[in-house]
Amino acid sequence: MTDPFTLAMVLIAALALMGQSIGISMLVGSFVYLMLKGYDVSIAAETMMQGLFNGYTLLAVPLFILAADIMNIGSLADKLLRFAQALVGRFRGGLGHVNVVSSLIFSGMSGSAVADAVGMGKIVITMMTKDGKYTPSYAAAITAATAIVGPIIPPSIPMVLYALVSGQSVGFLFAAGILPGLLMALLMAVTNGVIAHRRGFPVDDGIPLRELPGATWQAIPALMLPVILLGGIYGGVMTPTEAAAVAAAYALVISVVLYRSVSARGLYQALLGSARSTASVGILIAGALAFNYVVTRENVPDSVAAMLSAMDLGPVGFLIAVNILFLVLGCVLEAGALLLIVVPILIPAAQALGIDLVHFGVVLVVNAMLGLITPPYGLLLFIVAAITKQPLIPIIKDLVPFIAILIVALMVITFCPDFVLYLPRLLGYQG
């Protein structure tokens, strides 16, 4: 007779390959496992309810999604884009640099790579391809690459998901993402500059320096959002979940009152879009909670930890193996599924090897974000291809230099834990 766990795994893989949601696939596989084992299937529902009830931090996810959607319907993106253009738009390949800087700023508000690509990215792509200054494939490639900085720089929805399964502090995870995110943005800006000179991209008509103060003044309300959020979290004024609520309320207030750019219909569409995105994430989390119960019953985490201990990899070898595993799985699995399914299996082994779990979280989130731009699944690839109406092949070719430099950044993040943990330790982290 086929082992119930093996059958559940095969069923999950088969449903996912047929195009079913990975969350629903995990729910179906978990129910089948429980039935074949003779357990009460209500255990799955109880596990999901307990996980969601105890996961107060999870409330941050729909609130950050709502904040990002409100920013996209308001004129926040336009104000931030003009500020970025005034700052770096005058250099060769300037709109590429604007793409990097605008993503870096927008990421401090939305926490979502998809929100960045759909909102800010769509505007920058239009600017880059206007008058044929940049090829559509290059505009799409750099937009996809820069968007992955969003979930590294706080706030970050993937960091919240990692905190859920690892039990680590969201605040310290947010702090640990700042320097790695800045490093990734810097390396992408350098890469864009090199490509711009090699391919003869134009020196764009940047906004004159005399207009920089005005552009900055217009952008200040939007630029203050990450300051308020991070200041509130690290000052002990609010929890990350409360900060997410503040982000959504602040985005709505400045969009409606200061910028006067949100209509009732636009707000309705934002609320509807946020509800749909939250439902999608919620199903994934529910499926992962049920499947994690199955994995725990089968002692998979302990078995993996024992296997890795027997291999005597050591911390460095383990981190190399995890990077390779995540880069491969990221080609076929969605980032949230990676963090919710694979991480609980790896945590015991990481702890046994003495690897700091906050540092480990940043490494895993960066890996998961790279999966958004690697074929064949890369979600951001499909988003930017739809925006530019370009085939995937030329976009992927233009993405190769950015993927290569981001892997270099990943290596620095992986093997320099003191670099990643510098800011958390300043804030009192004892790791």
Side-chain angles (χ1 to χ4, degrees):
M1 182 179 176
T2 305
D3 175 63
F5 182 68
T6 303
L7 184 60
M9 292 293 293
V10 171
L11 185 58
I12 292 170
L15 289 172
L17 289 172
M18 290 167 60
Q20 186 56 266
S21 158
I22 188 69
I24 292 176
S25 301
M26 287 189 292
L27 284 173
V28 172
S30 301
F31 279 122
V32 168
Y33 171 87
L34 292 172
M35 286 189 295
L36 291 177
K37 279 285 193 177
Y39 299 137
D40 186 347
V41 293
S42 66
I43 291 174
E46 182 183 350
T47 302
M48 286 186 291
M49 292 304 296
Q50 285 182 348
L52 293 171
F53 181 77
N54 294 326
Y56 172 70
T57 304
L58 281 177
L59 283 174
V61 174
L63 291 168
F64 279 132
I65 291 173
L66 176 59
D69 286 342
I70 291 173
M71 291 172 208
N72 282 334
I73 63 167
S75 60
L76 276 82
D78 294 329
K79 305 297 183 185
L80 293 172
L81 193 59
R82 182 172 174 79
F83 170 71
Q85 196 174 2
L87 203 62
V88 296
R90 62 186 46 79
F91 305 111
R92 183 170 295 279
L95 287 179
H97 293 309
V98 169
N99 204 321
V100 175
V101 173
S102 60
S103 290
L104 188 63
I105 297 172
F106 194 77
S107 69
M109 305 176 193
S110 69
S112 166
V114 173
D116 187 5
V118 172
M120 185 73 77
K122 189 173 184 179
I123 301 170
V124 182
I125 285 174
T126 302
M127 292 172 60
M128 292 181 73
T129 54
K130 187 179 179 181
D131 301 327
K133 291 180 177 180
Y134 299 81
T135 61
S137 62
Y138 183 77
I142 191 171
T143 298
T146 59
I148 73 169
V149 176
I152 312 301
I153 296 282
S156 165
I157 292 172
M159 294 284 193
V160 173
L161 297 181
Y162 175 81
L164 170 70
V165 296
S166 68
Q168 297 304 297
S169 160
V170 175
F172 287 139
L173 284 166
F174 280 5
I178 294 175
L179 292 182
L182 292 174
L183 172 66
M184 292 165 69
L186 175 62
L187 291 178
M188 283 190 285
V190 171
T191 303
N192 173 68
V194 171
I195 293 173
H197 280 85
R198 286 182 177 176
R199 296 173 62 169
F201 287 150
V203 177
D204 303 299
D205 297 327
I207 296 174
L209 279 175
R210 64 177 179 274
E211 295 185 24
L212 179 58
T216 304
W217 177 254
Q218 286 287 316
I220 278 178
L223 292 171
M224 283 301 295
L225 179 53
V227 176
I228 293 171
L229 292 184
L230 299 182
I233 292 172
Y234 301 126
V237 177
M238 49 190 166
T239 66
T241 303
E242 291 164 347
V246 169
Y250 184 84
L252 180 61
V253 169
I254 62 174
S255 295
V256 172
V257 178
L258 290 182
Y259 295 145
R260 302 177 186 273
S261 57
V262 175
S263 64
R265 180 176 177 79
L267 180 59
Y268 171 75
Q269 292 297 328
L271 292 170
L272 193 62
S274 299
R276 287 171 177 161
S277 298
T278 300
S280 177
V281 174
I283 290 173
L284 176 60
I285 293 171
L289 289 171
F291 184 66
N292 284 341
Y293 174 80
V294 172
V295 167
T296 303
R297 292 289 303 186
E298 289 290 312
N299 291 319
V300 173
D302 293 337
S303 299
V304 171
M307 181 186 70
L308 290 171
S309 297
M311 293 172 65
D312 196 25
L313 288 175
V316 173
F318 175 74
L319 287 172
I320 292 173
V322 167
N323 276 324
I324 294 171
L325 175 67
F326 261 63
L327 289 173
V328 171
L329 291 178
C331 294
V332 292
L333 278 179
E334 188 264 342
L338 261 180
L339 294 170
L340 291 170
I341 300 171
V342 183
V343 170
I345 298 173
L346 297 176
I347 290 292
Q351 286 178 311
L353 291 168
I355 294 171
D356 183 89
L357 291 187
V358 170
H359 169 238
F360 192 53
V362 175
V363 172
L364 295 184
V365 169
V366 172
N367 267 295
M369 292 305 100
L370 279 169
L372 293 174
I373 59 173
T374 51
Y377 183 80
L379 179 59
L380 290 178
L381 292 177
F382 297 112
I383 290 174
V384 295
I387 292 173
T388 58
K389 297 179 172 57
Q390 293 294 302
L392 283 176
I393 298 300
I395 295 175
I396 292 169
K397 286 181 178 177
D398 282 334
L399 252 174
V400 169
F402 292 100
I403 293 175
I405 203 66
L406 287 169
I407 289 176
V408 171
L410 174 61
M411 293 300 100
V412 174
I413 293 164
T414 300
F415 301 119
C416 300
D418 289 339
F419 170 72
V420 176
L421 297 174
Y422 177 74
L423 289 180
R425 284 168 177 163
L426 284 182
L427 296 169
Y429 181 61
Q430 300 299 315

